[in-house]
Amino acid sequence: MKVLVLNGPNLNRLGKREPEIYGRTTFDDLAATLVAHGRKRSLDVDVRQTNNEGELIDWLHEAADHGHPVVLNAAAWTHTSVAIGDACAQLTGLLIEVHISNVHRREPFRHHSYISAHATGVIVGLGVRGYEHALDFIADETQTDAE
Ligand code: DQA
């Protein structure tokens, strides 16, 4: 099963960007880890990142049209984008919202999400491991013991 792991703005700078908040794992290392983790769980994981909001919306439409499960860290757009929330509302597969940091322990503007109302579940504050937990949940939910 194909899973899209979609990442919004500034996440390409993981490892360099505020490491005390987001850790030292680079985006490329994270992507490689998630592809390998997915393979172990029979998931075909496609990890993408964009700094262009329209591109993320196009990817969400692609997931909606194909029924792909989505792991989404929309980064700052989480807190600002009605358009990304509207795109998430169209998804038909599982949607797991992930944030590396615990947004609820941070500034008040990070406490609201336009995505959560459309998400199957939300993982915050577990560092980059949150993405692996999201993939495990998707594997557990979508695969039977016989697979
Ligand atoms: C983030 C939290 C957001 O508030 C922030 O804008 C990000 C990353 C996280 O993964 O912790 O860019 O989504």
Side-chain angles (χ1 to χ4, degrees):
M1 163 168 295
K2 183 165 177 126
V3 179
L4 299 187
V5 179
L6 304 180
N7 294 277
N10 297 303
L11 290 170
N12 55 314
R13 310 232 350 124
L14 279 181
K16 292 186 243 186
R17 171 196 187 197
E18 298 177 278
E20 66 287 0
I21 297 175
Y22 299 111
R24 299 206 174 267
T25 304
T26 66
F27 183 78
D28 287 348
D29 286 346
L30 172 63
T33 299
L34 296 180
V35 169
H37 191 78
R39 209 171 280 138
K40 281 191 242 156
R41 300 296 317 259
S42 305
L43 298 174
D44 172 15
V45 175
D46 184 348
V47 185
R48 305 180 192 176
Q49 187 278 331
T50 183
N51 294 320
N52 297 301
E53 189 174 352
E55 187 167 35
L56 180 57
I57 291 168
D58 288 342
W59 292 342
L60 289 165
H61 293 170
E62 178 188 331
D65 287 345
H66 292 90
H68 296 317
V70 173
V71 177
L72 176 60
N73 184 349
W77 294 327
T78 305
H79 319 300
T80 61
S81 178
V82 174
I84 287 175
D86 285 350
C88 289
Q90 299 171 50
L91 293 172
T92 51
L94 296 169
L95 169 62
I96 314 301
E97 177 182 353
V98 170
H99 299 286
I100 296 165
S101 64
N102 182 351
V103 286
H104 300 292
R105 293 181 70 173
R106 300 182 64 194
E107 304 94 320
F109 69 84
R110 296 184 202 275
H111 298 178
H112 178 261
S113 166
Y114 283 101
I115 295 162
S116 299
H118 309 292
T120 311
V122 182
I123 298 173
V124 302
L126 303 186
V128 291
R129 282 164 54 206
Y131 290 87
E132 290 181 43
H133 291 306
L135 291 177
D136 284 335
F137 178 82
I138 289 168
D140 290 344
E141 284 294 298
T142 57
Q143 292 164 6
T144 64
D145 290 343
E147 281 176 298

